[in-house]
Amino acid sequence: MSIYLDNAATTPLAPEVLDAMVPYLKEHFGNPSSVHAHGRETRSAIEKARKKVAALFNCSPSELFFTSGGTEADNTAILSTIRTYNIKHAITSPIEHHAVLHSLQALQKAGVIQLSFVDLDKKGNVVIETVEKLLAENPGSFVSLMHANNEIGNITDIGLIGALCEEHRAFFHSDTVQTIAHFPIDLGLTPVDFITGSAHKFHGPKGVGFLYIKAGKKINPFIEGGAQERNMRGGTENVAGIVGLAKALEQTYEKAEESKKHIVALKSLLIRLLQEKIPGTTFNGESANLEKSLFSVLNASLPASEDNDMLLFNLDIKGISVSGGSACTSGSLLPSHVLSALGANPQRGHVRFSFSALNTEEEIHKTVETLQSFFS
Ligand code: PLP
């Protein structure tokens, strides 16, 4: 039996999404920039996809730009905005995804910006007062704070932060890669300038994502080239990918309530079983708090053991795919930047379980039984 509990890393492609994409890999091959019938056909597919996505987020299609994924969307929002508007100060948190952190740190290293970090509380939540203080001291900053953390699932109130940014004339980017298709986002009501999405996180294809840029915020392209994406991103569009992204988004949102109910039940079961069967298990960040975390992520710290270095490998041998709280650097297992920021004990076994609607109760029982055999 093979068990996949690493859905925050990527999700399996939905069969209906593949079906929607196939015609654009086979018969409809025209270059969307061509003015002839073959080109018009694929251009129309892209624009239909854009309209679908815009309707789901209550924004205008002209505010959406397709990219090669979440990383490119984050890089574009950060690097292009800071360069275009000549911004000198940015605010972020130490537990952002590397697509955000490394982009900002590259600008800091090059002397383009000064970078300030907000404080986090013991559970990894942004301390709002530090955001307010940094904004008051540095009006016109660039702020990047993620909606939900990919490792510990903590959710940040982007409405509240957006309102503070407006008050202090700051640009606000939020990496929403982990919340897109899980939570409804109404861009008519959310004061955010840039959000990002990645199709493979919601049963769409890999290598395609999007960037939302609020109307009125004009930035220079990140990838120079042709006039694609209304001069915002050079390069022939990934037509099948874009069609697949829109289909996956539509379909995942359609089933969102039902999926959430199912996944919350699985997560609750896993929390209970881990506590019962493996005494001493603790949970990182807010991930065990169903109100304050992404319902699809649970980050557990299992008791210290000299075999913990091999934990993920041993689970893999038993057919269970999860992810660790570690970054593998030169052969040594170190806690990830997120768990390190929370002061995680490197002796314990850190495991991120992340679910999709395809997981079952039986898989949860089997996973805990397997883990229990390692710790008994
Ligand atoms: N941001 C977050 C929070 C993510 O979890 C990921 C994916 O791991 C990314 C950005 C990058 O997305 P992509 O894999 O599409 O480049």
Side-chain angles (χ1 to χ4, degrees):
M1 183 186 196
S2 145
I3 299 177
Y4 185 75
L5 285 171
D6 200 14
N7 291 281
T10 196
T11 51
L13 189 70
E16 299 83 352
V17 174
L18 177 63
D19 289 347
M21 292 170 68
V22 166
Y24 295 92
L25 294 164
K26 287 168 106 179
E27 58 263 38
H28 307 314
F29 62 87
N31 187 322
S33 298
S34 302
V35 292
H36 50 58
H38 285 83
R40 290 199 303 275
E41 194 168 47
T42 46
R43 159 73 36 224
S44 146
I46 293 176
E47 296 318 320
K48 261 197 210 142
R50 202 187 310 276
K51 272 196 193 145
K52 253 191 214 175
V53 177
L56 290 166
F57 296 122
N58 187 24
C59 68
S60 159
S62 62
E63 296 173 303
L64 290 173
F65 301 87
F66 292 115
T67 64
S68 66
T71 301
E72 185 195 318
D74 284 337
N75 271 255
T76 307
I78 294 167
L79 301 173
S80 289
T81 308
I82 289 176
R83 287 180 190 141
T84 306
Y85 287 92
N86 200 15
I87 297 169
K88 296 289 176 212
H89 182 259
I91 299 169
T92 192
S93 89
I95 59 170
E96 297 297 305
H97 191 271
H98 281 147
V100 167
L101 271 185
H102 289 174
S103 302
L104 287 167
Q105 283 163 343
L107 292 175
Q108 179 190 34
K109 203 167 159 208
V112 177
I113 54 163
Q114 272 196 332
L115 187 56
S116 301
F117 289 91
V118 299
D119 288 347
L120 301 175
D121 68 16
K122 281 207 300 267
K123 296 220 161 204
N125 299 305
V126 171
V127 177
I128 296 292
E129 291 72 26
T130 60
V131 183
E132 256 177 314
K133 183 168 175 286
L134 287 168
L135 282 169
E137 286 166 1
N138 306 278
S141 291
F142 184 89
V143 177
S144 184
L145 290 169
M146 71 205 308
H147 194 191
N149 186 278
N150 48 301
E151 285 192 45
I152 51 174
N154 288 24
I155 296 176
T156 297
D157 184 344
I158 56 173
L160 181 59
I161 290 173
L164 289 173
C165 288
E166 275 188 351
E167 207 181 299
H168 296 280
R169 293 179 293 102
F171 292 77
F172 180 34
H173 162 244
S174 185
D175 177 332
T176 49
V177 167
Q178 291 290 342
T179 46
I180 294 291
H182 289 97
F183 288 86
I185 297 182
D186 184 336
L187 289 167
L189 300 175
T190 317
V192 60
D193 298 314
F194 308 94
I195 68 164
T196 54
S198 174
H200 72 101
K201 306 289 186 184
F202 48 86
H203 304 284
K206 292 171 184 59
V208 62
F210 69 86
L211 168 64
Y212 157 82
I213 307 180
K214 195 191 190 83
K217 298 282 186 297
K218 293 240 25 115
I219 63 173
N220 295 327
F222 173 61
I223 296 182
E224 298 284 356
Q228 290 90 353
E229 293 298 281
R230 303 179 310 289
N231 284 313
M232 262 298 299
R233 178 188 191 261
T236 301
E237 299 88 337
N238 174 359
V239 182
I242 291 169
V243 169
L245 179 150
K247 176 74 186 171
L249 193 63
E250 193 180 37
Q251 177 165 298
T252 313
Y253 268 130
E254 256 167 35
K255 298 186 202 149
E257 273 311 303
E258 196 189 319
S259 305
K260 181 175 171 181
K261 223 170 122 194
H262 175 68
I263 297 171
V264 165
L266 296 182
K267 177 166 164 172
S268 307
L269 176 66
L270 183 56
I271 294 171
R272 183 169 66 72
L273 289 179
L274 285 173
Q275 281 172 330
E276 270 174 30
K277 311 275 183 198
I278 310 180
T281 299
T282 55
F283 300 100
N284 295 307
E286 296 286 8
S287 74
N289 182 331
L290 297 174
E291 302 297 312
K292 291 190 174 175
S293 68
L294 202 56
F295 55 83
S296 50
V297 169
L298 181 67
N299 195 311
S301 284
L302 302 167
S305 148
E306 55 192 30
D307 296 332
N308 276 347
D309 274 2
M310 301 296 283
L311 191 55
L312 296 198
F313 179 69
N314 289 335
L315 281 169
D316 187 25
I317 288 178
K318 301 280 183 189
I320 301 171
S321 298
V322 293
S323 129
S326 308
C328 211
T329 321
S330 15
S332 72
L333 283 171
L334 303 166
S336 70
H337 70 290
V338 176
L339 293 186
S340 300
L342 296 185
N345 174 353
Q347 309 303 317
R348 291 172 65 86
H350 306 296
V351 183
R352 179 188 69 181
F353 303 94
S354 50
F355 317 91
S356 88
L358 301 174
N359 290 121
T360 63
E361 272 190 26
E362 192 194 351
E363 291 176 333
I364 302 298
H365 282 283
K366 179 87 183 104
T367 301
V368 177
E369 270 165 35
T370 307
L371 279 169
Q372 202 182 0
S373 71
F374 298 161
F375 285 92
S376 54

